[in-house]
Coordinates of all heavy atoms in Angstrom, one line a residue:
G18 N -39.3 2.4 -54.0 CA -39.9 1.3 -53.3 C -38.8 0.4 -52.9 O -37.9 0.0 -53.5
L72 N -33.3 6.0 -35.5 CA -34.3 4.8 -35.4 C -35.5 5.3 -34.7 O -35.4 6.1 -33.7 CB -33.6 3.7 -34.6 CG -32.3 3.1 -35.3 CD1 -31.7 2.0 -34.4 CD2 -32.7 2.5 -36.7
P223 N -25.4 -19.6 -59.6 CA -26.8 -19.2 -59.9 C -27.6 -20.3 -60.3 O -27.2 -21.2 -61.1 CB -26.6 -18.2 -61.1 CG -25.2 -18.2 -61.4 CD -24.4 -19.0 -60.4

Side-chain angles (χ1 to χ4, degrees):
L72 301 177

